Amino acid sequence: MTTSEPSTRAPRRDATENRAALIDAAKTVLQRDPDASLETIATAAGLSRRAVYGHFPSRDDLVRAVVTAGAARVASAMPTSSDLGDLPPAARIAAIAVTLWSEVSHVRSMARIAVRSPFGESVAEVFAPLRAQVREACALGIADGSMRSDVDAATLGRLVEGACIAVLDEATRSGTSDQDGRRMVVVSALGIAGIDWRTALLSQPVDPTTQELA
């Protein structure tokens, strides 16, 4: 009698599609209502709550999958070290802040969920290379005297990150326009680094849409 080797079975097509439908529904529903229940998300996906548990043990697990995937998308769009290499420290931070804003401004509610507990740790892992770029820019700014030197580069990097999150919170709460949010995130990030707001504005990258209209 011949014994066949066990084969690894691919997930059934409907299971794969159901998982994708859940993630897509969660993106849409949570953007509209960050406190939406698992039942609401399941209904939007055309599934029962019980079906959800076949893919995600809890609501947090589903939301974590959504925000981690979103963070990976944002991280892939950020400027690379080679993109930033020729820029002065302030312009580096401004470029990072503006790109980050551009990537999350249309999904502000989801972005706010992503940076908070219990999902912040998972997102932080995805953004580790980006945080390293911010720390490097802060270290260069401290070294050349263009940024405050009363704290070390790692601390200053965290303060810059906190300033960007504060802008996201305010922009979401008040419905700030994309253009104003773009300016606010640059001024806030560089302001916490010790740079005057007028000087900070000079480091803001040119907005391609504004350039096209000129």
Side-chain angles (χ1 to χ4, degrees):
M1 176 191 253
T2 36
T3 313
S4 58
E5 299 229 354
S7 59
T8 303
R9 297 177 63 183
R12 294 188 317 172
R13 180 185 175 92
D14 60 343
T16 302
E17 289 177 350
N18 284 347
R19 181 184 173 90
L22 278 168
I23 291 176
D24 287 343
K27 290 176 187 176
T28 302
V29 172
L30 293 171
Q31 175 59 24
R32 186 172 61 244
D33 177 11
D35 298 317
S37 67
L38 192 59
E39 289 87 349
T40 301
I41 296 171
T43 299
L47 298 169
S48 67
R49 176 173 176 145
R50 182 176 179 180
V52 176
Y53 291 129
H55 302 279
F56 302 99
S58 69
R59 180 184 183 278
D60 280 357
D61 289 300
L62 170 56
V63 177
R64 184 175 290 105
V66 173
V67 299
T68 303
R73 177 190 61 77
V74 172
S76 69
M78 299 304 294
T80 64
S81 297
S82 58
D83 294 331
L84 301 173
D86 294 332
L87 298 177
R92 289 190 185 196
I93 290 179
I96 291 170
V98 163
T99 305
L100 188 61
W101 170 257
S102 299
E103 291 298 316
V104 305
S105 63
H106 62 292
V107 287
R108 299 178 194 182
S109 294
M110 283 301 302
R112 290 178 78 192
I113 293 172
V115 295
R116 281 168 172 70
S117 180
F119 314 111
E121 189 174 335
S122 299
V123 171
E125 291 177 12
V126 178
F127 281 150
L130 178 61
R131 285 176 155 162
Q133 289 180 339
V134 173
R135 283 196 305 272
E136 181 181 0
C138 290
L140 291 170
I142 292 170
D144 71 12
S146 63
M147 295 182 186
R148 57 189 290 187
S149 58
D150 59 319
V151 292
D152 59 76
T155 300
L156 189 54
R158 289 191 293 273
L159 291 175
V160 168
E161 178 184 345
C164 292
I165 292 172
V167 170
L168 175 63
D169 283 341
E170 173 58 22
T172 305
R173 185 193 64 79
S174 60
T176 303
S177 70
D178 282 351
Q179 186 174 352
D180 285 346
R182 193 176 194 272
R183 174 180 50 79
M184 284 168 55
V185 76
V186 170
V187 171
S188 297
L190 292 181
I192 201 71
I195 297 175
D196 171 79
W197 70 271
R198 294 178 181 83
T199 305
L201 286 176
L202 297 177
S203 297
Q204 180 177 339
V206 175
D207 185 347
T209 58
T210 304
Q211 200 171 34
E212 287 170 8
L213 295 173

